[in-house]
Amino acid sequence: MVYTDTRDKSVKADFRTAVINGMNKETGGLYIPVSFPKLDTDFINKNPEPGFRDIAFRMAKPYVEGEIPDGDLLSIIGDAYPFSAPVVPLDPTSYVLELFHGPTCAFKDFGARFMARVMSYFNRNENSPLHILVATSGDTGSAVGSAFHNVPGLDVTILYPEGKISKIQEKQLSTFDGNVRALKVKGTFDDCQKLVKTAFTDEELRARLRLSSANSINISRLLPQSFYYMYSSLVVRNRAWGDSKIEEPAIIAVVPSGNFGNLTSGLIAREMGAPIAGFVAATNSNRTIPDWIATGDYNARPSVATLANAMDVGAPSNYERIAAMYSLDDVRRLFAAYWLDDEGIISSIKHCYEKTGYTIDPHGSVGWKAWYDIKTGAMEKLANGEKGDITKPGLTPNLPCWADKAVKKQAVGIILETAHPAKFGDTVKKATGSAPVIPGRLEQVMKLEDKAVPMENDYAAFKEWLLANLQA
Ligand SMILES: *Cc1c(COP(=O)(O)O)cnc(C)c1O
C-alpha cells in the first residue's frame, strides 16, 4: 500500500515509514492510505459472520502488503487480540459493542497492541531498542504501556502529571517493570507534552537514543480499530431481523469521540465494505466537531474538563484526516452529530441503567443518549424542520442520508462502549446508586506497587535522566 499525506497528495510513503514517523515532519500532515480496498463480498456476506481475528487479518493485509508477509501478520494479530469485542443487545434496535475486554479495559487496547507489534516487527533487525516517549493525561499512557510491555526491541517511558490523573489510571501506568516505566512530572499534562516535544527536537539526544512516539495520530493505531466496526456490523446485520423484525435496517455506528481516531476508523471500515449506513459523532461539552458540522466553520479551542475525560479534546487531531477524506457535505450526509454536558452524562448513565439494566460508562453514555434521542423523535423533529439550538445539548441540524430510515424506525444502532464502567466507578455510582463490579484485571493492578519515578518539570533534568537510564 502507498500512503500519502493529508497536506500534500504528492507525498508517497510505505507503511513502515508512516508507522515509524507517526506524522510527516516535512509537511506537518498525517499519513493516509491512497485507497481503502473493499473486502471480498463473499467474505462479507458469510453467515454466520467470520470471527474477529479472521476479519482483522483480511482487513490489515492490503495495508501491509509487500512489507509484512501473511504468516507474520497472522502472528501479529493472534498476539495482539487474545480478546474480542462482544456485541450485546440492549433492546431490539440498540446494541452495545463492548470494547473494554482488553488488558486496560478501554478501546485504545485495540489500536495500541497492533501498533506495538508492528513497530517491534519493523525494528527486528536493529541492534538497539526503539525508545517510545509518551506524555499522557491518563488513558493513552496505560494502553501504550500495557501494549508495549515485554514486546521485543521496544522501550517505553511514560510522562504524566503527578496528582492530576485518577488512582486507577496511575496504577495502570506506573506499575510495570522491565521495558516500561513512568515518570511523574511536577507539572501539568502540557508540561509533560512539552518535555517530550523538546526531546524529539534535541539533536544531541537523538544522536544517542533512537526515539519514536506512539500517539493516536499514528496510522497503525487507526487501521486496527476498523476491524471491530466490520465485525460488529456483520454480527448486527445477521441478527437484526431476528431481534427487530426489520427487513433491511440501516446500521448506524454511534461513536463517543474526542480526538476522532475511533470515528475515522469507522469511516475506513465503511469504505472497505462494512454494512454501515452512517455514524453518530457523539461528544461531551468539547463540541468542536458538532459545531463544525452545524455551522461549517472549524474552530479548534482549548479543552474543557468533563466527566467523560478521555474525550476532553478541543482540537481533535483526526479532523484533518476526516476533512482530507470527505467534503463537508459528505460529512453532513454520513453523520448525525450530538453533544451532551456533564448533567446529561449523569442522567443518561442513570436512564440507561433504569431502562435497560445495562451499566454504561460516562463515555458510552453520551452515545447511548444520542441514540435514544434519535429513536424517540429527535430525528423526526429535524426532518419536520424543527431545529434545536446548537448551543444546547442535542443533535446538530443536518439531516443525514439515513434520517428517513431512522424516522421510519428502520434503523439499528451500535453504540461503542469505549471503557469499562469500573474505570469511572465514582461517576457511575453517583448516577445509578451502585458501584460497578470491578473486573479481575483491574483489581489485580490496584494491588501492584507504584514504581513511578519523580521528575522535576525541567528539561535538563529530564534529559539527564534519559541518558543515565535508557539503553543506547
Ligand atoms: C480515547 C477515548 C475516547 C475518544 O476516542 P477518540 O479516538 O480520541 O475519539 C473515548 N472513550 C474512551 C474511554 C477513550 O479512552
Side-chain angles (χ1 to χ4, degrees), residues 386-400:
E386 272 181 63
K387 316 243 183 262
D389 172 357
I390 64 159
T391 66
K392 301 268 155 55
L395 278 179
T396 54
N398 57 302
L399 266 189

Side-chain angles (χ1 to χ4, degrees), residues 107-108 139 256-262 310-311 363 418-419:
F107 89 96
K108 290 189 176 70
D139 261 25
S257 296
N259 248 326
F260 280 77
N262 201 358
M311 300 174 8
H363 304 80
T418 49

Side-chain angles (χ1 to χ4, degrees), residues 293 329 331-336 378-385 387 395-404 407:
I293 291 175
D329 283 341
V331 168
R332 286 173 170 163
R333 268 193 291 275
L334 268 181
F335 294 16
M379 194 56 88
E380 192 163 3
K381 274 192 187 159
L382 273 189
N384 293 336
K387 316 243 183 262
L395 278 179
T396 54
N398 57 302
L399 266 189
C401 62
W402 47 270
D404 186 43
V407 171

Side-chain angles (χ1 to χ4, degrees), residues 150-451:
N150 293 334
V151 176
L154 304 176
D155 187 273
V156 178
T157 303
I158 302 165
L159 284 77
Y160 70 93
E162 182 173 13
K164 296 195 174 61
I165 69 175
S166 78
K167 195 74 219 149
I168 289 189
Q169 284 174 324
E170 184 161 31
K171 283 283 183 186
Q172 280 192 306
L173 56 77
S174 68
T175 54
F176 296 105
D177 50 19
N179 68 331
V180 179
R181 69 206 63 80
L183 304 180
K184 46 181 172 192
V185 176
K186 292 185 179 51
T188 62
F189 168 62
D190 289 337
D191 294 329
C192 297
Q193 211 160 22
K194 204 163 159 210
L195 290 174
V196 168
K197 283 195 172 151
T198 311
F200 282 127
T201 55
D202 182 336
E203 295 302 333
E204 191 199 3
L205 185 70
R206 298 201 76 144
R208 302 269 301 273
L209 298 170
R210 296 174 56 233
L211 298 182
S212 188
S213 68
N215 53 29
S216 67
I217 53 155
N218 199 297
I219 192 71
S220 67
R221 273 180 71 172
L222 281 194
L223 293 173
Q225 293 173 173
S226 66
F227 308 158
Y228 52 70
Y229 282 90
M230 180 68 77
Y231 173 70
S232 60
S233 61
L234 296 181
V235 169
V236 166
R237 181 201 58 191
N238 286 351
R239 67 172 292 167
W241 196 85
D243 288 344
S244 67
K245 308 293 175 230
I246 302 169
E247 199 67 62
E248 280 197 28
I251 297 174
I252 309 302
V254 186
V255 191
S257 296
N259 248 326
F260 280 77
N262 201 358
L263 206 142
T264 306
S265 303
L267 292 166
I268 294 173
R270 185 175 174 278
E271 293 291 334
M272 294 182 76
I276 295 173
F279 297 89
V280 180
T283 73
N284 57 26
S285 299
N286 294 280
R287 53 192 169 89
T288 305
I289 294 284
D291 282 359
W292 169 55
I293 291 175
T295 66
D297 291 324
Y298 178 78
N299 286 309
R301 56 199 84 163
S303 63
V304 297
T306 76
L307 293 173
N309 61 20
M311 300 174 8
D312 292 349
V313 181
S317 48
N318 283 291
Y319 159 75
E320 179 152 344
R321 279 202 178 93
I322 295 173
M325 286 165 68
Y326 300 93
S327 69
L328 178 59
D329 283 341
D330 290 339
V331 168
R332 286 173 170 163
R333 268 193 291 275
L334 268 181
F335 294 16
Y338 184 95
W339 74 275
L340 196 59
D341 57 15
D342 273 358
E343 208 180 307
I345 287 174
I346 292 283
S347 70
S348 65
I349 296 171
K350 180 168 190 267
H351 191 192
C352 176
Y353 185 65
E354 287 170 355
K355 278 209 93 73
T356 69
Y358 191 86
T359 305
I360 202 152
D361 98 291
H363 304 80
S365 82
V366 180
W368 185 80
K369 181 65 162 48
W371 185 242
Y372 182 83
D373 283 4
I374 287 172
K375 292 208 308 180
T376 55
M379 194 56 88
E380 192 163 3
K381 274 192 187 159
L382 273 189
N384 293 336
E386 272 181 63
K387 316 243 183 262
D389 172 357
I390 64 159
T391 66
K392 301 268 155 55
L395 278 179
T396 54
N398 57 302
L399 266 189
C401 62
W402 47 270
D404 186 43
K405 283 279 213 179
V407 171
K408 290 192 194 133
K409 307 212 179 298
Q410 292 170 350
V412 301
I414 303 176
I415 299 151
L416 277 65
E417 171 58 322
T418 49
H420 192 288
K423 288 187 88 167
F424 305 92
D426 291 346
T427 303
V428 172
K429 185 165 180 206
K430 191 171 159 202
T432 66
S434 50
V437 177
I438 302 177
R441 58 199 187 286
L442 268 190
E443 218 163 40
Q444 215 50 47
V445 85
M446 291 304 287
K447 290 188 200 137
L448 298 176
E449 186 200 344
D450 190 331
K451 299 190 186 112

